[in-house]
Amino acid sequence: MKIFISGATGFVGGHLCNELLGRGHTLRLLSHHGKATVSGGVEFFGGDVTVAADCTSGAAGCDAVVNLVGIIREFPQRGVTFERLHVEATRNMLAAAEQNGIRRYLQMSALGSRPAAVSGYHRSKYQAEELVVASGLDYTIFRPSLIFGPKDAFVNMLAGFIRSFSVVPVIGDGKYRMQPIAADDVARCFAIALEKPETVGKAYNLCGQDRLNYLEIVDVVAKVLGRHFILKMKNPLLLMQFVTPLLEKFPFYPVTSDQITMLLEESICDGSWQGTFGFTPVGFEEGIRTYLN
């Protein structure tokens, strides 16, 4: 297949491109910074996902559309908002598929996306899902938990604290749980979905095999780095909830109110996706050993 992808130059996008190329597909990547070039089965198409005409032109002649675009934090003064990058971008990519007669469409969402979600991130992701479902296309939606891999933000941030200071900040009691999943495994699910007609019209919650709370994740990262003692510096939740709304507008401040809300809600699932996709995800410790060392 020839596949048009937005967000392909991001963290998960690199893993997905490798997986798809390995299965014999050719790719056209919408690149905000790129010029029109072709190399090794990959064509870079210069354009902006928030510009409908760019998406429509980019999808011409393709067999499937994949939308990976997403942000975890807003900077409204720069035009970086959930509404623009999650909802508007999805609307443009759906229109690109429809106007080019493309039926197959894959969407990256997030575990926790749901009606009446508390966080703006999850609300906007769900709004985007509603657009996908209403489109009438042959869609598949993926909602992953925390994604880890060589260029991830979260695990590498923890590793940086541990290497430099042997101290890791913790919001509240640190007992909120996650089920991290490897970027390669997420990419594999996307690729398999293109080969499995039974995934059409479905949404899948993706999570790894290890259900860990934040403190346990810190311990695993420290173990992989060979650190036997680290200090977990707990910050009172009430203090964080008071201070964060005042400081989150500044880029130097590392966390937002939205992110605190999502941490406390947890990010776990039952793993039932494995029945459809037919493989067991890599374990968290095994996975991070491949790049932290």
Side-chain angles (χ1 to χ4, degrees):
M1 300 174 73
K2 187 170 186 177
I3 305 167
F4 180 56
I5 310 175
S6 62
T9 56
F11 164 47
V12 177
H15 294 264
L16 178 58
C17 289
N18 289 337
E19 182 71 27
L20 293 174
L21 289 170
R23 291 171 180 259
H25 301 291
T26 58
L27 313 177
R28 182 181 293 157
L29 313 184
L30 183 65
S31 174
H32 186 60
H33 304 290
K35 298 180 180 179
T37 58
V38 181
S39 176
V42 178
E43 176 185 352
F44 289 90
F45 184 89
D48 189 325
V49 73
T50 64
V51 178
D54 289 352
C55 298
T56 299
S57 297
C62 291
D63 306 300
V65 170
V66 177
N67 181 25
L68 298 178
V69 170
I71 56 169
I72 196 64
R73 183 172 185 171
E74 294 183 293
F75 294 99
Q77 65 276 19
R78 303 179 195 168
V80 179
T81 65
F82 295 144
E83 172 66 26
R84 190 162 183 248
L85 275 302
H86 292 168
V87 183
E88 262 186 58
T90 296
R91 186 178 289 114
N92 291 343
M93 291 294 283
L94 288 167
E98 292 165 356
Q99 292 177 29
N100 283 289
I102 302 167
R103 295 295 308 164
R104 197 67 176 102
Y105 183 94
L106 306 183
Q107 174 84 359
M108 175 72 89
S109 189
L111 192 58
S113 301
R114 63 196 186 280
V118 178
S119 71
Y121 174 83
H122 281 151
R123 283 198 306 274
S124 63
K125 282 290 191 179
Y126 186 74
Q127 289 168 5
E129 287 188 25
E130 289 185 302
L131 293 175
V132 173
V133 172
S135 71
L137 297 178
D138 295 337
Y139 71 85
T140 305
I141 296 169
F142 292 101
R143 305 181 187 123
S145 182
L146 174 72
I147 303 175
F148 65 88
K151 295 183 180 180
D152 68 45
F154 184 75
V155 172
N156 279 294
M157 176 192 69
L158 293 181
F161 279 121
I162 293 169
R163 288 188 181 112
S164 301
F165 311 110
S166 293
V167 175
V168 175
V170 178
I171 296 173
D173 63 10
K175 294 183 180 179
Y176 30 84
R177 299 170 299 170
M178 292 171 268
Q179 272 180 262
I181 183 166
D184 280 341
D185 288 336
V186 174
R188 190 174 175 186
C189 287
F190 271 80
I192 290 173
L194 291 171
E195 302 166 3
K196 281 183 170 282
E198 60 266 37
T199 63
V200 170
K202 304 287 180 59
Y204 296 95
N205 295 334
L206 301 182
C207 55
Q209 59 177 289
D210 300 307
R211 184 173 290 185
L212 305 166
N213 66 40
Y214 183 85
L215 301 177
E216 291 169 332
I217 288 175
V218 171
D219 286 338
V220 173
V221 174
K223 176 184 176 183
V224 168
L225 294 175
R227 300 298 179 94
H228 302 292
F229 174 80
I230 55 166
L231 176 64
K232 302 183 184 78
M233 187 174 65
K234 293 185 178 180
N235 298 281
L237 181 58
L238 288 177
L239 175 63
M240 292 296 297
Q241 290 174 326
F242 174 75
V243 171
T244 299
L246 303 176
L247 297 178
E248 64 185 1
K249 64 183 69 175
F250 299 105
F252 69 82
Y253 194 70
V255 69
T256 68
S257 299
D258 240 27
Q259 290 168 339
I260 292 174
T261 296
M262 291 188 288
L263 274 177
L264 298 178
E265 285 182 350
E266 304 191 310
S267 185
I268 59 178
C269 77
D270 61 11
S272 58
W273 64 269
Q274 296 175 50
T276 298
F277 294 92
F279 70 92
T280 301
V282 67
F284 180 63
E285 181 177 338
E286 177 187 354
I288 67 173
R289 279 191 185 277
T290 63
Y291 61 98
L292 286 188
N293 284 337

